[in-house]
Amino acid sequence: MPYMFISTQIRLNGPTNVGDEYSDPAVMNYLGARKTTMLGNNFSEYHVDDPPRMVLDKLEKIGFRVLTMTGVGQTLVWCLHKEIE
Amino acid sequence: MPYMFISTQIRLNGPTNVGDEYSDPAVMNYLGARKTTMLGNNFSEYHVDDPPRMVLDKLEKIGFRVLTMTGVGQTLVWCLHKEIE
Amino acid sequence: MPYMFISTQIRLNGPTNVGDEYSDPAVMNYLGARKTTMLGNNFSEYHVDDPPRMVLDKLEKIGFRVLTMTGVGQTLVWCLHKEIE
Amino acid sequence: MPYMFISTQIRLNGPTNVGDEYSDPAVMNYLGARKTTMLGNNFSEYHVDDPPRMVLDKLEKIGFRVLTMTGVGQTLVWCLHKEIE
Amino acid sequence: MPYMFISTQIRLNGPTNVGDEYSDPAVMNYLGARKTTMLGNNFSEYHVDDPPRMVLDKLEKIGFRVLTMTGVGQTLVWCLHKEIE
């Protein structure tokens, strides 16, 4: 899984969405993420309470780097990439 | 076709739009995409059920890399590029 | 003119705006663009019917590469750059 | 001043905002910019009539390159950077 | 803390938000930032009166470079990164 997304609602504080139901459990565990299913959704997501800046710092330590960031609606999304060895 | 776009509606879950009617059939076939024409549109598109993260991981294996990503309206768009050998 | 912009209205289908009245006529001719003045505008623009993906593929052949892409209002804009020899 | 911003209102035509009151007067003079204070603002800005594409072409000649571009509200903003020798 | 965000409300003038409550106090002190808690918020933030361009120039001197910039709602956000030695 070379690509990874994290996202937050407009403010740069947490919580931060760090994964979807197919995300790598080892990375989710490393981040201390909890799997939740929001009311009305038929899919689950992974969240942490940390703000996105701290999540990016943690992800850099295991090889993921920010490629680009964008806003869509009220959501900020970061697209990260890890080079495959 | 060195450039490729994929897009989704606001959430980072699928389905993912992976092509237009002029897209390379070999790439569309590799992704398992189906060609559809939405009601009221006079053009067709290719979709997969996979979330965009999984589509990007698959596309990296055949040489496409994310250049940039943006939000426009309620849509997230990724612009990918493949170096011509 | 090392920089170039192309843009489309929200969908990734054409038509594509490929230039303004000061754009290089040789590049506009290469793309097969037509110069038009929209009702109510006091400036002219160049358009092609091709979707942006095909325009980017054509522009790569003459040395322009995508630097970045963004959405503003309902418009998607690509910023391209050509290295000066 | 290694960083510089230019911006326009939604269309890719001029006028283009090229600086704030602390911008380098030599660069503002090179671009032929005029300093103005909009009604109701308590700060001044620099503008040129050129479209952003022509401003970017001029700025490249003195070492500034586009890092990234984004839309916010109805405004398009370019972030440029010049390597410090 | 290799990653850092700064943000402003739509205009390219200050004040500029330069940190959250977990930001590196040494960097906040270097920028001359003051810690504030906005009415109704249960978290604090760091602000400076400088416009974002001047903040970026200062941050470059201590090793942070702009990776990408985006707009979300009425806010402009810059994502900076510092290589770990």
Side-chain angles (χ1 to χ4, degrees):
Chain A
M1 70 176 249
Y3 285 99
M4 185 166 169
F5 301 128
I6 74 166
S7 62
T8 53
Q9 295 303 307
I10 207 163
R11 286 202 166 272
L12 292 168
N13 302 75
T16 304
N17 180 320
V18 298
D20 56 69
E21 55 193 309
Y22 307 108
S23 291
D24 184 341
V27 175
M28 296 299 109
N29 191 48
Y30 166 73
L31 292 174
R34 59 183 186 284
K35 198 175 186 176
T36 51
T37 305
M38 295 234 198
L39 198 68
N41 285 355
N42 62 351
F43 54 87
S44 41
E45 297 172 306
Y46 283 95
H47 289 88
V48 295
D49 286 329
D50 295 329
R53 189 176 59 74
M54 294 177 73
V55 176
L56 296 180
D57 285 359
K58 279 186 183 173
L59 288 171
E60 169 143 323
K61 288 184 186 145
I62 57 167
F64 286 97
R65 297 178 70 96
V66 172
L67 270 188
T68 179
M69 161 185 80
T70 197
V72 62
Q74 300 299 303
T75 305
L76 262 172
V77 183
W78 288 262
C79 178
L80 296 97
H81 184 261
K82 182 178 185 166
E83 292 297 329
I84 303 164
E85 296 92 43
Chain B
M1 64 177 253
Y3 285 98
M4 185 167 169
F5 301 127
I6 75 165
S7 62
T8 54
Q9 295 304 306
I10 208 163
R11 285 201 168 272
L12 292 167
N13 302 75
T16 304
N17 179 321
V18 297
D20 57 68
E21 56 193 310
Y22 307 108
S23 292
D24 184 340
V27 174
M28 295 301 108
N29 191 49
Y30 166 72
L31 291 174
R34 58 183 187 284
K35 199 174 186 177
T36 50
T37 305
M38 295 234 200
L39 198 68
N41 285 354
N42 62 349
F43 54 86
S44 41
E45 297 172 306
Y46 283 94
H47 289 88
V48 295
D49 287 328
D50 295 328
R53 191 177 57 74
M54 293 177 73
V55 175
L56 295 180
D57 285 358
K58 279 186 183 174
L59 287 172
E60 169 144 323
K61 288 184 186 144
I62 57 167
F64 287 97
R65 296 178 71 95
V66 171
L67 271 188
T68 180
M69 160 184 82
T70 198
V72 61
Q74 300 299 304
T75 305
L76 262 172
V77 183
W78 289 261
C79 177
L80 297 98
H81 183 260
K82 182 178 184 167
E83 292 296 329
I84 304 164
E85 296 91 44
Chain C
M1 64 176 254
Y3 285 99
M4 185 167 169
F5 300 128
I6 75 165
S7 63
T8 53
Q9 295 304 307
I10 208 164
R11 285 202 168 271
L12 292 167
N13 302 74
T16 304
N17 180 321
V18 296
D20 57 69
E21 55 193 308
Y22 306 108
S23 291
D24 184 341
V27 174
M28 296 300 108
N29 190 49
Y30 166 72
L31 292 174
R34 60 184 186 282
K35 199 174 186 177
T36 50
T37 305
M38 295 234 200
L39 198 68
N41 285 354
N42 63 350
F43 53 86
S44 40
E45 297 172 305
Y46 283 94
H47 289 89
V48 295
D49 287 328
D50 295 329
R53 191 176 57 74
M54 293 177 73
V55 175
L56 295 180
D57 286 358
K58 280 186 181 173
L59 287 171
E60 170 144 322
K61 289 185 185 144
I62 57 168
F64 287 97
R65 296 178 70 95
V66 172
L67 271 188
T68 180
M69 160 184 81
T70 197
V72 60
Q74 300 299 303
T75 305
L76 262 172
V77 183
W78 288 262
C79 177
L80 296 98
H81 183 260
K82 181 179 184 165
E83 291 296 330
I84 304 165
E85 296 92 43
Chain D
M1 68 177 251
Y3 285 99
M4 185 167 170
F5 300 128
I6 74 165
S7 63
T8 53
Q9 295 303 307
I10 208 164
R11 286 201 168 272
L12 292 168
N13 303 75
T16 304
N17 180 320
V18 298
D20 57 69
E21 55 193 309
Y22 307 108
S23 291
D24 184 341
V27 174
M28 295 300 108
N29 191 49
Y30 165 73
L31 292 174
R34 59 184 186 283
K35 198 174 186 176
T36 51
T37 305
M38 296 235 200
L39 198 69
N41 285 354
N42 63 350
F43 54 86
S44 41
E45 297 172 306
Y46 283 94
H47 288 89
V48 294
D49 287 328
D50 295 329
R53 191 177 56 75
M54 293 177 74
V55 175
L56 296 180
D57 286 358
K58 279 186 181 173
L59 288 171
E60 170 144 322
K61 288 184 185 145
I62 57 167
F64 287 97
R65 297 178 70 95
V66 171
L67 270 188
T68 179
M69 160 184 81
T70 197
V72 60
Q74 300 299 304
T75 304
L76 262 172
V77 183
W78 288 261
C79 177
L80 297 97
H81 183 261
K82 181 178 184 165
E83 291 298 328
I84 304 164
E85 296 92 42
Chain E
M1 72 177 246
Y3 286 99
M4 185 168 170
F5 301 127
I6 74 165
S7 62
T8 53
Q9 295 304 307
I10 207 164
R11 286 201 166 272
L12 292 168
N13 303 73
T16 304
N17 180 321
V18 297
D20 56 70
E21 55 193 309
Y22 306 108
S23 292
D24 184 341
V27 175
M28 295 300 108
N29 191 49
Y30 166 72
L31 292 174
R34 60 184 185 283
K35 198 175 186 176
T36 51
T37 305
M38 295 234 198
L39 197 69
N41 286 355
N42 63 350
F43 54 87
S44 42
E45 297 172 306
Y46 284 95
H47 289 88
V48 295
D49 287 328
D50 295 328
R53 190 176 57 75
M54 293 177 74
V55 175
L56 295 180
D57 285 358
K58 279 185 182 173
L59 288 171
E60 170 145 322
K61 288 184 185 144
I62 57 168
F64 287 97
R65 296 179 69 96
V66 172
L67 270 188
T68 179
M69 161 184 79
T70 197
V72 61
Q74 300 299 303
T75 304
L76 262 171
V77 183
W78 287 262
C79 178
L80 297 97
H81 183 261
K82 181 178 184 165
E83 291 297 330
I84 304 164
E85 297 91 43

